[in-house]
Amino acid sequence: MQLSKSTAEIWVPDGLALAPALARVTHMAVGAHQDDLEIMALDGILPCFGQTDKWFLGVVATDGAGSPRDGLYAKYTDAEMRAVRRGEQKKAALVGEYGAVAFLDHPSSGIKNPADSGPRNDIRALIEAARPEVVYTHNLADKHDTHVAVALRTIAAIRELAPEARPGKLYGCEVWRDLDWMVDSDKAVFQLDEHENLAAALLGVFDSQIAGGKRYDLATFGRRRAHATYHQSHGVDAARMINFGMDLTPLIENPALDIGAFVQEHIARFADEVRTRIGKSL
Ligand SMILES: [Zn+2]
């Protein structure tokens, strides 16, 4: 497999050769940064853990060079941070028993540049080789530009594939903006109660980000827990841990569907819901 950056890498934790390692993949996630996968795509990681017929492929689009740093890492150069963050992502892949993890190693600016075909081509090549049943990426209402750009490149890559080579499902998952505003019928609800210890370990290995001053580990667990309780206003908690996703499958089933308009429809349903509820009691 030829990825566009010479510094790209596909790492297979159990040492299997690359072709069979990718061919066994059933669940795949495409994230912008090292640690995004573990925050947003746990629904794809957990069902593969300890299984021989289900395997997770993690794809990290950016090189991780621009991350904030503090403490132990305060004096690290951009090149050193890239190496640290790649190492951390490999630790997570080992802990989570991923089938493989791909580092595309694009700068953020390259991901956000629609004229740069490299990210799209890389994602398409990986999906073609892995033929996953389900793909997770960032949600299109995220507030981080690079996250939204990764989701757009992923949609574009899948749209270029023959219909039979496309995944059956595509989900846009939360990192920098909750999807709790979506109306209940719009939300994909991922229950993550299995292997809570594994979920904690997967976030704990990203020491450089947590030491950088952001407690992503606590925040991610807190949000999952909050979703589980606040998801339904009536009845007892049905789960301990929940993530939400926006089902983006219509965008890959119909490549002509306008991506911006698709997201605006979700927002319009939310606006309608708020308007209707206020109107009921006014
Ligand atoms: Zn990120």
Side-chain angles (χ1 to χ4, degrees), residues 61-281:
T62 70
D63 55 22
S67 77
R69 61 209 70 173
D70 202 359
L72 172 65
Y73 309 95
K75 291 198 167 64
Y76 280 45
T77 63
D78 273 3
E80 286 167 337
M81 275 313 278
R82 285 167 72 162
V84 165
R85 298 195 69 183
R86 194 180 283 207
E88 288 173 343
Q89 183 63 73
K90 286 180 179 176
K91 286 183 202 172
L94 192 66
V95 168
E97 299 181 1
Y98 300 177
V101 58
F103 300 91
L104 306 185
D105 214 39
H106 291 278
S108 247
S109 56
I111 299 287
K112 288 185 282 192
N113 177 8
D116 186 343
S117 60
R120 185 181 79 239
N121 290 341
D122 290 345
I123 296 165
R124 190 186 61 234
L126 284 164
I127 293 175
E128 244 171 347
R131 299 292 288 263
E133 296 160 14
V134 52
V135 175
Y136 306 81
T137 187
H138 294 283
N139 87 80
L140 292 163
D142 200 286
K143 59 181 169 185
H144 194 310
D145 289 347
T146 312
H147 287 187
V148 173
V150 165
L152 292 173
R153 303 300 164 254
T154 302
I155 292 165
I158 295 171
R159 284 177 162 184
E160 288 180 353
L161 292 165
E164 65 274 15
R166 294 178 198 156
K169 296 298 278 184
L170 177 69
Y171 293 110
C173 304
E174 55 189 354
V175 181
W176 278 107
R177 199 194 309 273
D178 275 347
L179 291 172
D180 204 21
W181 54 270
M182 291 170 66
V183 300
D184 283 350
S185 58
D186 281 358
K187 265 184 284 201
V189 178
F190 305 125
Q191 281 203 21
L192 307 166
D193 287 359
E194 294 284 309
H195 307 298
E196 219 171 301
N197 56 322
L198 179 68
L202 285 172
L203 286 166
V205 300
F206 293 97
D207 185 61
S208 71
Q209 300 310 290
I210 291 166
K214 302 285 274 181
R215 290 305 303 264
Y216 292 116
D217 52 341
L218 300 180
T220 302
F221 264 77
R223 177 161 63 188
R224 286 176 187 152
R225 182 75 203 208
H227 282 343
T229 293
Y230 287 111
H231 175 46
Q232 284 154 330
S233 55
H234 301 290
V236 297
D237 295 356
R240 289 192 311 278
M241 295 281 167
I242 281 178
N243 268 153
F244 295 133
M246 186 185 285
D247 188 348
L248 305 180
T249 310
L251 293 170
I252 58 169
E253 285 175 342
N254 177 9
L257 205 58
D258 185 284
I259 296 171
F262 176 83
V263 179
Q264 290 303 319
E265 282 171 24
H266 282 82
I267 295 169
R269 281 192 287 276
F270 174 60
D272 279 349
E273 194 212 37
V274 173
R275 194 180 298 119
T276 302
R277 182 161 294 104
I278 289 176
K280 272 197 297 198
S281 299

Side-chain angles (χ1 to χ4, degrees), residues 21-95:
L22 292 178
R24 65 186 170 174
V25 167
T26 53
H27 296 62
M28 174 172 169
V30 188
H33 307 105
Q34 299 77 359
D35 78 2
D36 283 336
L37 305 172
E38 289 70 23
I39 292 172
M40 72 179 186
L42 199 58
D43 185 66
I45 296 169
L46 294 185
C48 300
F49 182 75
Q51 307 299 314
T52 53
D53 60 342
K54 290 182 185 149
W55 293 89
F56 178 76
L57 168 62
V59 181
V60 180
T62 70
D63 55 22
S67 77
R69 61 209 70 173
D70 202 359
L72 172 65
Y73 309 95
K75 291 198 167 64
Y76 280 45
T77 63
D78 273 3
E80 286 167 337
M81 275 313 278
R82 285 167 72 162
V84 165
R85 298 195 69 183
R86 194 180 283 207
E88 288 173 343
Q89 183 63 73
K90 286 180 179 176
K91 286 183 202 172
L94 192 66
V95 168

